[in-house]
Amino acid sequence: MKKVFRYLRSMRFGILLLCLIGVCSVAGTVIPQGREIGWYAQAYRSFHGVILALRLNRVFESWYFIALLVLLCLNLSLCSLLRIHRVVRGAKTEAARAAALPDAVLLRPEGVEKLRARLEDMRCRREEIDGVSVYRKHGFGRYGSFVIHLSILLTVVFGALALYTPTVTDRACMPGEFILLPDGTEIHVLDFRINDETGRLDYQSHVQVTLPDGRRSGIEELRVNHPFSFGGYKLFQQSFGTAGSVTVTALDTGGTDDFLLTEPAFLSADGRTGIYFQTLYPDFIRDPSGNVTLITVTEGSYPNPIYQIEVIADGTFTPSLAEPGKSLELTGLRFDFNAPVEYPGLRIKHVSQLVNGLLVAAFALMIAGLYLAFFLEPVLVKVDAAGYAVGGAKPERMRVELGEDFREYERKEGTQAT
Amino acid sequence: MRTLFFITLLLYAIAVALEFAGTAFKKDKLLRGAWYVFLAAFALHTAFIVARGIVARRLPLSNQFEFACAFAWGVALMLIVMRPRLKSDWLSVIAMPATLLVMVYTSLQPMEIRDLMPALRSAWFGVHIGSAVLSYSAFVIAGSISLRYLLAVKKQSADERTLAQMDYLSYRMVAFGFLFLTVVILSGAIWAEQAWSAFWTWDPKEVWALITWIIYAVYLHLRLRGGRRGAFTAWYLVIAVPVVFFTFAGVNTFMHGLHTYG
């Protein structure tokens, strides 16, 4: 049992877990994730059985990947506890242990003086122990590794909470209308535009949120990279669409109906005669002989939209095109094709701001830990009349730097100090 | 502007040629010449990036061309910063060709200036991508130092102290790069939450940044805790460089995801 526990907290196990997470991650990027099962059968033929059996089509949601993350958390927890215990215990005695070190490098007297001056310049704290000087600095740097491991643990835990606990809904909403959420919250979309004042792409909505208890937000602008939070909801500008707009007027009564069309629809009074809306194209080119070439993809707002329809009358289907501003009359109905309406697709996320805040705090802790570990390494140098030795948990930096800078003052063992 | 870029590329190529010739024939004059040409190339490179930023009216880091150009600049900058600290110049012969290699890749990318797409208009843009430039550059320099270490060991052309210095410097570069790669990943996560509503989406670029992070995390553990030094870690860092290049260029070329900006 003790052996298992020792292995679970070991660096060897941590590295093994990291490697396995890395291997799974490679598989997760090489094999497209989350496609239909049939797609894998077609793309990988005889291998698709293996892919599905090993859940390589959904690696990051597979039980073994989650198990690896849980084991990593366990390893980090045990390792962090052990580490902090060792570091705190070691910190109490490190000066005395450094003072007892034999000189690793022997220096001529002028070298010793220069070394002392250099360490004073570095603002190291000097302590006299048993007749030798111990210079210390950046003692808190020793906690760097512990802080990094702790922050990774917190990142995995809060990251999992931030990823898997929010409820996310994607909803499209026409300007002037509102989205009603199951708890009674209303999200009113007041307007939407695709291009800003200068014509640059910038998807902007103005929204207002009303909570079930009657609290209401101000009118807020929603843009990509600028989400808006209110009452536990966070709204994102996620996508956009362009809807066809057709006004149908009954010629005998003068009554009208406005239709916003995002998918094929049959507009008719009697179910037999009318127009069948197929789609809306963003642009077209009409040549001198009147032939139209439809353009399916443009960037931003539709520059020159055109409706593709079929006119259905007396059992005949006549394909046709209609530009905004045109009208069509059919057995008592007039169809007015209006300018298309742009609408936003909103992502509505019910999220805990506390979890998000804790996750960002864990990120900050990780950066601080890395800085402590790699850029504020503890300095612990023992100096006596004959030379010096570098001690502490991370002696390499000072060994290399002092070794380079005081090379010219070094002397070999057995030679005179003067 | 295009001319400025290609003059820079040409100067880097001349610097590399002079460096190789100087090393092969052991001619100090050629090596000095290589260094001055390299400095001139770097000055033009800096001018090109600044000019592009002024013309585009934004940080010139938004597409593969601009990022690669900044990446090459970062590698050159690190060589320039490190060289005076070295007692002898054993790094240029590897780091100069590395700069040229990235510049050649840059020259193969579409060069036109485009307006910044809405998803990239964020305060995190500079932090996220600037950190990536520093991090990838540091890893390339670490790989270069390690390659030089292996060559020096094979040819027995360096003393123990120089080898120890190489080994230590490669570690320092990894530590620097690792800090900035962490900044890349974490700032990217915060930005992704603002732009795409989730801190992490398992997008190929995110995953490969994580894989790169894991590779260097394992290196740091092996070196700091496992006590592995010398040829083993040098080989490790040389082999890790292609992974960095794949994360930088391969993912955008071979995989489709949210980071495909052209």
Side-chain angles (χ1 to χ4, degrees):
Chain A
M1 191 64 193
K2 214 172 179 180
K3 248 184 175 176
V4 174
F5 181 73
R6 198 176 296 153
Y7 185 70
L8 282 175
R9 75 176 190 212
S10 69
M11 184 191 77
R12 190 183 289 257
F13 184 54
I15 288 179
L16 175 71
L17 290 171
L18 284 176
C19 291
L20 290 173
I21 289 170
V23 169
C24 292
S25 301
V26 172
T29 56
V30 173
I31 299 167
Q33 299 290 291
R35 301 266 178 101
E36 296 285 324
I37 288 174
W39 186 89
Y40 295 96
Q42 204 168 23
Y44 294 98
R45 298 185 186 277
S46 52
F47 287 111
H48 87 278
V50 179
I51 288 171
L52 297 179
L54 294 176
R55 289 192 60 80
L56 294 174
N57 57 330
R58 289 183 183 275
V59 171
F60 303 116
E61 296 156 28
S62 64
W63 65 266
Y64 55 83
F65 189 77
I66 292 165
L68 286 174
L69 291 179
V70 171
L71 286 172
L72 183 69
C73 286
L74 182 68
N75 175 260
L76 285 168
S77 309
L78 296 174
C79 163
S80 299
L81 283 173
L82 181 76
R83 191 181 296 267
I84 192 67
H85 179 65
R86 274 191 194 154
V87 169
V88 171
R89 201 178 50 187
K92 289 175 188 163
T93 57
E94 68 177 11
R97 279 185 286 128
L101 286 173
D103 285 330
V105 180
L106 299 175
L107 295 179
R108 296 198 301 275
E110 69 266 32
V112 172
E113 286 316 304
K114 283 200 186 296
L115 175 61
R116 285 183 187 280
R118 159 85 176 272
L119 292 167
E120 300 281 348
D121 282 350
M122 286 171 64
R123 295 185 185 171
C124 291
R125 222 159 12 98
R126 181 175 156 176
E127 220 174 308
E128 295 297 329
I129 305 172
D130 299 334
V132 300
S133 308
V134 175
Y135 291 85
R136 304 166 78 175
K137 195 185 170 186
H138 293 159
F140 42 87
R142 70 172 72 89
Y143 300 106
S145 291
F146 167 73
V147 173
I148 295 169
H149 286 81
L150 178 68
S151 65
I152 294 172
L153 177 66
L154 294 175
T155 298
V156 174
V157 172
F158 293 130
L161 286 173
L163 277 183
Y164 300 114
T165 57
T167 51
V168 178
T169 321
D170 288 336
R171 297 280 285 271
C173 185
M174 295 295 164
E177 297 183 359
F178 69 92
I179 298 164
L180 180 63
L181 298 178
D183 68 352
T185 300
E186 292 175 7
I187 299 167
H188 293 258
V189 176
L190 307 176
D191 58 36
F192 174 69
R193 66 179 180 190
I194 292 178
N195 300 84
D196 68 9
E197 301 82 1
T198 63
R200 191 171 72 153
L201 271 182
D202 192 10
Y203 313 98
Q204 297 177 1
S205 310
H206 281 96
V207 297
Q208 189 171 37
V209 178
T210 307
L211 298 176
D213 61 9
R215 278 187 297 146
R216 180 179 288 184
S217 74
I219 295 172
E220 299 289 337
E221 188 180 79
L222 204 59
R223 286 189 289 142
V224 179
N225 278 317
H226 294 85
F228 158 58
S229 299
F230 187 71
Y233 285 102
K234 198 165 184 179
L235 309 182
F236 299 84
Q237 173 57 54
Q238 185 71 9
S239 60
F240 71 99
T242 306
S245 167
V246 178
T247 304
V248 183
T249 308
L251 294 173
D252 52 352
T253 62
T256 62
D257 262 327
D258 291 318
F259 294 93
L260 289 174
L261 306 165
T262 54
E263 52 192 39
F266 183 42
L267 304 178
S268 167
D270 57 10
R272 284 180 294 137
T273 304
I275 63 157
Y276 181 72
F277 167 79
Q278 287 183 317
T279 190
L280 182 71
Y281 284 95
D283 200 358
F284 65 95
I285 300 166
R286 196 188 295 275
D287 67 17
S289 56
N291 294 325
V292 170
T293 306
L294 297 168
I295 295 168
T296 53
V297 180
T298 58
E299 203 174 58
S301 292
Y302 284 9
N304 194 23
I306 192 162
Y307 291 84
Q308 186 179 43
I309 56 170
E310 287 198 52
V311 179
I312 301 173
D314 305 326
T316 59
F317 293 68
T318 313
S320 182
L321 294 167
E323 294 166 52
K326 290 278 166 66
S327 297
L328 188 71
E329 285 188 17
L330 274 175
T331 57
L333 293 178
R334 191 177 75 233
F335 299 89
D336 292 303
F337 295 91
N338 308 315
V341 174
E342 292 162 345
Y343 62 94
L346 303 185
R347 173 156 289 183
I348 304 151
K349 195 170 160 187
H350 198 258
V351 62
S352 162
Q353 296 290 5
L354 177 67
V355 170
N356 282 7
L358 289 171
L359 181 60
V360 173
F363 289 175
L365 197 64
M366 200 185 303
I367 300 297
L370 286 167
Y371 188 73
L372 281 177
F374 297 125
F375 296 93
L376 290 180
E377 289 153 316
V379 174
L380 191 66
V381 184
K382 166 237 169 177
V383 183
D384 60 21
Y388 72 91
V390 182
K394 288 183 174 174
E396 190 177 10
R397 183 175 188 171
M398 287 311 289
R399 272 187 197 148
V400 171
E401 286 183 6
L402 298 181
E404 279 300 313
D405 296 347
F406 291 87
R407 201 170 185 170
E408 58 188 298
Y409 301 106
E410 284 180 17
R411 64 183 171 86
K412 290 208 171 83
E413 202 164 350
T415 57
Q416 290 283 337
T418 52
Chain B
M1 193 109 91
R2 185 177 279 270
T3 314
L4 183 59
F5 176 79
F6 283 103
I7 291 173
T8 305
L9 181 62
L10 182 68
L11 285 179
Y12 277 130
I14 292 170
V16 169
L18 288 173
E19 181 71 25
F20 281 164
T23 307
F25 301 115
K26 294 192 168 66
K27 296 276 185 197
D28 279 348
K29 267 188 180 173
L30 285 177
L31 292 174
R32 247 197 324 274
W35 183 245
Y36 290 132
V37 174
F38 188 80
L39 288 178
F42 180 75
L44 289 186
H45 196 163
T46 309
F48 173 76
I49 290 174
V50 171
R52 190 171 170 101
I54 291 169
V55 171
R57 289 193 289 180
R58 56 171 167 75
L59 279 176
L61 294 169
S62 78
N63 56 28
Q64 199 68 354
F65 172 84
E66 291 175 351
F67 185 83
C69 191
F71 181 10
W73 183 85
V75 176
L77 175 71
M78 288 197 187
L79 173 61
I80 290 168
V81 169
M82 282 185 69
R83 196 173 181 265
R85 294 166 184 232
L86 307 174
K87 297 284 183 224
S88 59
D89 179 27
W90 40 261
L91 182 57
S92 304
V93 73
I94 304 288
M96 280 187 191
T99 308
L100 179 65
L101 185 75
V102 183
M103 278 300 274
V104 169
Y105 171 80
T106 310
S107 70
L108 302 175
Q109 303 305 309
M111 204 173 170
E112 75 270 21
I113 295 175
R114 285 189 184 169
D115 198 9
L116 210 56
M117 59 193 290
L120 295 180
R121 283 179 226 141
S122 164
W124 291 104
F125 178 64
V127 178
H128 181 63
I129 303 172
S131 300
V133 167
L134 290 176
S135 148
Y136 292 177
S137 306
F139 291 146
V140 168
I141 290 286
S144 303
I145 297 171
S146 299
L147 186 57
R148 190 69 186 82
Y149 177 97
L150 293 169
L151 291 172
V153 167
K154 195 176 177 203
K155 290 184 175 175
Q156 297 181 324
S157 60
D159 59 26
E160 279 300 314
R161 278 205 183 203
T162 310
L163 288 177
Q165 191 195 28
M166 287 179 184
D167 188 67
Y168 175 70
L169 278 176
S170 60
Y171 154 68
R172 293 301 301 170
M173 293 314 293
V174 170
F176 179 83
F178 190 74
L179 171 68
F180 279 96
L181 182 61
T182 309
V183 173
V184 173
I185 294 172
L186 301 185
S187 62
I190 296 171
W191 186 5
E193 204 276 335
Q194 286 186 359
W196 304 323
S197 76
F199 286 99
W200 195 260
T201 55
W202 298 109
D203 178 67
K205 194 82 167 180
E206 289 175 354
V207 175
W208 275 93
L210 178 67
I211 291 166
T212 310
W213 190 89
I214 287 174
I215 285 171
Y216 285 100
V218 169
Y219 163 82
L220 290 169
H221 278 88
L222 289 174
R223 194 179 192 284
L224 295 174
R225 295 274 152 199
R228 304 301 291 262
R229 306 265 156 102
F232 175 82
T233 45
W235 272 114
Y236 190 103
L237 291 182
V238 170
I239 292 167
V241 170
V243 179
V244 175
F245 274 101
F246 187 79
T247 303
F248 151 62
V251 173
N252 290 44
T253 309
F254 302 114
M255 295 169 178
H256 187 76
L258 292 165
H259 284 80
T260 311
Y261 296 125

